[in-house]
Amino acid sequence: IDQDVVYASPATVYRVLSNADVMRKWNRGKTSKGTGFEQPMRPHEHWHIDIANVRIKGIHYFLITIR
């Protein structure tokens, strides 16, 4: 810009580099995201734990659920 040689907006630079697939920080492998969840075939084959911080009357509690 300072020397009036060439100028490209940040959005244009991002679009060009993204289309050339050079914006990745590392080489990502294929993931199974979006392929669905395989249901367990028998009891206790899959467990799920949730932990939450709950405040009741000014006192903080941990709520832990196991399914």
Side-chain angles (χ1 to χ4, degrees), residues 19-20 31 41 47-48 50 55:
N19 287 342
T31 66
M41 300 304 290
W47 287 59
H48 183 88
D50 284 320
R55 185 175 178 183

Side-chain angles (χ1 to χ4, degrees), residues 46-62:
H46 181 85
W47 287 59
H48 183 88
I49 299 174
D50 284 320
I51 301 173
N53 189 353
V54 181
R55 185 175 178 183
I56 301 173
K57 294 185 180 181
I59 301 173
H60 291 275
Y61 296 96
F62 284 105

Side-chain angles (χ1 to χ4, degrees), residues 37-49 67:
F37 176 72
E38 186 176 323
Q39 294 294 325
M41 300 304 290
R42 43 180 211 231
H44 303 296
E45 193 173 62
H46 181 85
W47 287 59
H48 183 88
I49 299 174
R67 294 183 274 166

